[in-house]
Amino acid sequence: ETPIISIDDAMCRKALEKGAKIAVLATAQSALEPAKWKLSLFAKEKEVDLTLESFCNGDAIAALKKGDRETHDKLILEMARKVSPDCDAIVLAQASMAKMRDRVEKESGIETLSSPELCYEEVKQFLDMYTF
């Protein structure tokens, strides 16, 4: 009975609203596969014929863990440049990538989504339904 709001649910749903061809960028393989799985699950529920592109660069998260944000950001932008221009949306698979949303979108020319802001909105909407 307790509602569960996953951090990436709103992002994945919104990506599928944009279209059926989605690119997923990650800096850790452990984040890439769950994001692809969730997109596939939501696409199946909506009967959308999903096409996924995925890119992962573990050197980016390693750089971030060492405090090297510049290298982290550069590697994410390199992944963004590889995305097919006909993609409908780019999904950033990790909350640690959220700061790069605007830069990835500018670099790729493709609407880019990250989970934290969309999750905050979803939680707010949920809480707005109740009075305490």
Side-chain angles (χ1 to χ4, degrees):
E1 292 184 22
T2 302
I4 297 173
I5 298 174
S6 177
I7 191 167
D8 57 354
D9 283 357
M11 175 182 67
C12 291
R13 281 193 297 273
K14 186 168 184 177
L16 289 166
E17 290 172 8
K18 302 299 174 189
K21 187 164 185 184
I22 310 296
V24 182
L25 306 185
T27 62
Q29 195 68 34
S30 61
L32 181 62
E33 294 308 318
K36 289 169 45 179
W37 176 82
K38 187 162 285 187
L39 284 162
S40 296
L41 177 70
F42 287 176
K44 186 175 181 179
E45 289 173 0
K46 292 181 149 257
E47 298 180 354
V48 171
D49 188 19
L50 179 66
T51 301
L52 286 173
E53 281 188 21
S54 59
F55 302 91
C56 183
N57 189 328
D59 293 339
I61 196 70
L64 187 61
K65 288 179 179 179
K66 292 178 183 174
D68 185 357
R69 167 109 11 219
E70 184 177 333
T71 298
H72 170 267
D73 295 356
K74 181 181 125 204
L75 294 172
I76 289 173
L77 291 175
E78 285 177 9
M79 286 189 286
R81 288 184 202 104
K82 295 177 183 177
V83 173
S84 296
D86 63 339
C87 275
D88 298 306
I90 295 174
V91 166
L92 301 179
Q94 294 148 260
S96 62
M97 301 171 72
K99 285 184 153 188
M100 293 297 295
R101 193 194 69 76
D102 291 341
R103 291 178 65 193
V104 167
E105 189 168 291
K106 183 177 179 182
E107 187 71 33
S108 66
I110 300 167
E111 184 165 357
T112 301
L113 308 170
S114 64
S115 58
E117 185 176 321
L118 295 169
C119 184
Y120 299 149
E121 290 174 20
E122 186 173 42
V123 169
K124 183 183 180 314
Q125 288 173 2
F126 176 78
L127 293 175
D128 285 347
M129 293 186 317
Y130 299 94
T131 54
F132 296 95

